[in-house]
Amino acid sequence: MQNSLDVIIVGGGAAGFFTAIQIAEHQPNKSILILERGKEVLTKVKISGGGRCNVTHAEFIPQELVKNYPRGERELLGPFHQFMTGDTIEWFENQGVGLKIEEDGRMFPVSDSSQTIIDCFLQRVEDLGIEVRTLESVKDFFKKENLWNVTTKSATYQAEKLVIATGSNPKIWNHLQALKHHIASPVPSLFTFNTKDERVQGLAGISTYASVKVLGEKLESEGPLLITHWGFSGPGILKLSAWGAQKLFEKDYQFQLEINWLGYASAEATLEKLLKVKKQNPKQQIATYAQLKLPKRLWQQLVAASIPKNRMWAEVSTQELKNLCAELTQGVYHIQGKSPFKEEFVTAGGVELKEINFKTMESKLQENLFFAGEVTNIDAITGGFNFQNAWTSAFIAARAIS
């Protein structure tokens, strides 16, 4: 059974759907087929942002937006000048889907439901006459007489243009390697850090702004740090995990993490502040009232780690206060392993970026082969940036095709 089409898109996720829609909006007469191996489409859209779908991020300057991509920063600058956050917002609003900005810059549908985004895509695909086939796992794709042949377990399809939008799919990467493409080995990105350190036992749920760095590496980050039952999470940690994806993988996720619980305050400046507190409250127990805007229980455990119990401010020596300052600004925690961040598995790795023309998202090695989304070696920190890469790369590929 042969099925001839203009465009075949492998992958029924955000990038695949947006590519198909963008092509059809520009060239309604093109025959387009989306092949999805799963039973359902847009599954990652459904769970993203805790089921709310973090569509994009309110950053409107290309030069600033690219700084959120540990892999792809240089390559995405040109594409972001073509299609960016503002274009994403406008496109969704034209479909009747309003987006809102949260305090941290993340953008969600006003409905707070990822189903709104899924319904929008499904409706648009139907209106444009784009065919979607689920449970169609691609077994192989190859070029024959200038046409791409795509075989699934039930059929063989042919098309002039082929778009790969399968995200992190090792089987698809293997087929691309057979077509001479190089694949950067996949490693996890966006994960939390595990530690059994007594200083943070029983503090799950406490969050504070901190700066963190991996000792022995040029890896540092800052942002809200959340203490969990198994260790550390929150934006500051997730950012560090994305930038350090390759290095931390090589360390087998065993490393020393230095935490400054006061952001970037120095030990010297902190000592000055604590000496003032000592002068003003000599008869108070040090652990009773939290200082330096730290959460009370965190303050108490850090004090307990460096100063004898029930000590009054009047009784504490300068050396003991120096020890406390070191604990507050340079505490070292042994990290043993990682945990995935929620259900949002993000992988660093994919098609090597030097083999892609970022003006068209076309392969430099195979004519009429295009890429969209995470199948390439591009990934971002958390906050809607991975989706923005999906929309932008899909738009660029679609424009080249149509």
Side-chain angles (χ1 to χ4, degrees):
M1 172 181 161
Q2 289 281 15
N3 298 301
S4 272
L5 302 128
D6 292 314
V7 185
I8 294 171
I9 295 166
V10 183
F17 264 73
F18 204 63
T19 306
I21 290 166
Q22 289 292 329
I23 296 168
E25 283 181 348
H26 287 100
Q27 292 209 315
N29 57 345
K30 269 202 190 315
S31 55
I32 304 164
L33 170 66
I34 298 174
L35 297 173
E36 166 57 43
R37 66 176 170 168
K39 196 164 62 194
E40 290 185 7
V41 293
L42 301 163
T43 49
K44 216 168 179 184
V45 171
K46 194 174 184 66
I47 60 171
S48 100
R52 295 197 297 147
C53 190
N54 185 184
V55 178
T56 186
H57 200 97
E59 174 52 75
F60 300 94
I61 300 161
Q63 286 82 349
E64 292 303 313
L65 185 60
V66 294
K67 288 179 185 170
N68 298 287
Y69 297 83
R71 284 147 291 271
E73 180 176 355
R74 202 166 46 90
E75 290 81 3
L76 284 172
L77 189 57
F80 282 155
H81 277 96
Q82 305 299 316
F83 191 91
M84 199 158 134
T85 316
D87 305 293
T88 301
I89 298 165
E90 185 184 4
W91 186 87
F92 278 107
E93 285 187 342
N94 287 343
Q95 312 308 317
V97 178
L99 302 180
K100 59 175 181 173
I101 303 174
E102 305 223 322
E103 263 181 49
D104 57 6
R106 292 181 304 161
M107 296 192 70
F108 294 90
V110 173
S111 67
D112 268 332
S113 169
S114 56
Q115 197 57 46
T116 308
I117 303 298
I118 294 170
D119 292 343
C120 162
F121 281 156
L122 293 176
Q123 187 60 56
R124 198 75 193 108
V125 156
E126 195 184 321
D127 293 346
L128 293 164
I130 296 163
E131 196 180 351
V132 181
R133 292 192 189 172
T134 53
L135 294 171
E136 282 278 36
S137 185
V138 169
K139 299 277 178 251
D140 198 10
F141 48 91
F142 54 90
K143 199 85 166 278
K144 193 177 170 188
E145 292 164 8
N146 277 343
L147 288 178
W148 283 102
N149 285 251
V150 180
T151 56
T152 68
K153 62 177 186 289
S154 60
T156 297
Y157 303 95
Q158 282 190 329
E160 188 195 339
K161 316 269 189 201
L162 177 62
V163 182
I164 305 295
T166 46
S168 305
N169 183 329
K171 281 185 180 163
I172 296 295
W173 282 334
N174 288 341
H175 292 314
L176 289 168
Q177 279 179 311
L179 293 169
K180 306 280 190 287
H181 268 289
H182 292 86
I183 305 297
S185 297
V187 296
S189 180
L190 294 189
F191 47 84
T192 63
F193 298 171
N194 299 353
T195 184
K196 294 186 172 73
D197 198 290
E198 285 180 0
R199 287 168 289 179
V200 291
Q201 291 298 309
L203 298 183
I206 285 179
S207 178
T208 187
Y209 195 92
S211 63
V212 287
K213 64 179 171 191
V214 176
L215 293 181
E217 298 289 348
K218 284 183 179 164
L219 280 175
E220 49 188 275
S221 171
E222 62 180 294
L225 184 155
L226 172 68
I227 300 171
T228 67
H229 291 291
W230 56 87
F232 302 121
S233 185
I237 294 293
L238 293 167
K239 215 189 294 183
L240 192 65
S241 81
W243 287 98
Q246 189 63 47
K247 286 251 170 73
L248 300 181
F249 171 78
E250 286 161 14
K251 289 178 177 290
D252 195 25
Y253 309 106
Q254 309 281 323
F255 56 92
Q256 305 293 105
L257 181 74
E258 183 181 289
I259 301 179
N260 185 335
W261 295 103
L262 307 176
Y264 284 105
S266 69
E268 294 74 28
T270 305
L271 180 62
E272 268 181 48
K273 284 181 182 171
L274 293 185
L275 286 169
K276 270 186 196 159
V277 176
K278 176 180 173 172
K279 205 171 177 182
Q280 289 160 356
N281 308 288
K283 294 204 168 81
Q284 223 174 61
Q285 277 194 8
I286 295 170
T288 306
Y289 295 102
Q291 303 296 335
L292 309 166
K293 297 181 180 164
L294 281 174
K296 185 175 182 180
R297 287 191 300 138
L298 176 61
W299 166 259
Q300 287 173 334
Q301 299 216 165
L302 295 176
V303 168
S306 46
I307 288 175
K309 213 175 174 190
N310 302 330
R311 192 60 70 89
M312 304 271 195
W313 280 105
E315 300 164 348
V316 73
S317 71
T318 303
Q319 186 54 51
E320 285 171 333
L321 280 185
K322 281 182 178 172
N323 295 347
L324 175 58
C325 293
E327 191 63 69
L328 294 167
T329 61
Q330 297 159 314
V332 176
Y333 295 78
H334 182 47
I335 304 301
Q336 297 164 285
K338 64 167 184 60
S339 301
F341 172 60
K342 296 185 180 169
E343 313 93 329
E344 298 177 39
F345 297 101
V346 173
T347 305
V351 180
E352 288 283 10
L353 304 185
K354 61 179 182 291
E355 298 172 358
I356 302 165
N357 176 353
F358 278 85
K359 290 192 171 84
T360 59
M361 293 310 295
E362 187 176 9
S363 161
K364 289 180 180 176
L365 310 180
Q366 302 288 341
E367 205 182 348
N368 291 329
L369 174 65
F370 297 83
F371 302 106
E374 279 181 49
V375 67
T376 64
N377 187 23
I378 288 178
D379 64 285
I381 63 171
T382 180
F385 301 107
N386 282 303
F387 272 133
Q388 187 55 53
N389 169 46
W391 315 137
T392 296
S393 55
F395 175 85
I396 301 270
R399 206 182 53 170
I401 288 165
S402 52

